Amino acid sequence: MPDTTEWNRLSSALAGLHRALIERVRRDYEREKGRVAGPTHFLRLLMEDPYFAWLRPLSELMANIDQLREFEAPARDEVATAVRSVVEQLIAAPSAEPASAEFTRHYWPLMLEEPEVTMAHAGVKQSIAAWPAPAEGGAARLLHERHVLSEMVRHHANRTRH
């Protein structure tokens, strides 16, 4: 099972991918719509503007993984296969059953044409390669694994509040 170092490596690789995507999409946005007024304005755009909505599945996955990596080892081990599956499905090449069709539609052209995104993609793939492999199962399995991740995060958050 992945140890703390491997969880941190995955988190860092996803952050690098996110950063590379955001830098490219910001340039595209500014070319199409004009200059962003500053970091606060850009953060608001990332969170609220439809132009950036396709990035939110990656942002949410990163938040979930950052929460999960704080769990004790047995709880992390419980979801390690689901984490690998969800990460792989999100960044997978276009298929009949993409994890997020909107994400895939925007992501793959950037992955193929933007060297920083390509390198970050490779880093994510490398960081997850040694994790337990998911079983076959298609869309139903993926939905179940996403649900497992969300429930683990929600359950842990509720426990720490009480």
Side-chain angles (χ1 to χ4, degrees), residues 138-159:
R141 176 189 47 79
L142 178 61
L143 287 173
H144 173 71
E145 289 171 350
R146 281 184 168 176
H147 176 74
V148 166
L149 290 181
S150 296
E151 286 300 306
M152 285 288 288
V153 168
R154 189 175 63 78
H155 177 71
H156 184 72
N158 286 340
R159 270 196 352 223

Side-chain angles (χ1 to χ4, degrees), residues 2 6 12 17 40 52 60 71 94 110 120 123-124 134 143 151-153 155:
E6 290 163 323
S12 178
L17 177 61
T40 303
F52 298 95
E60 291 167 6
F71 288 11
L110 295 177
V124 171
L143 287 173
E151 286 300 306
M152 285 288 288
V153 168
H155 177 71

Side-chain angles (χ1 to χ4, degrees), residues 43-59:
L43 181 59
R44 191 170 50 252
L45 288 171
L46 284 171
M47 292 174 23
E48 299 170 2
D49 194 290
Y51 192 92
F52 298 95
W54 69 272
L55 286 165
R56 293 186 190 123
L58 176 57
S59 301

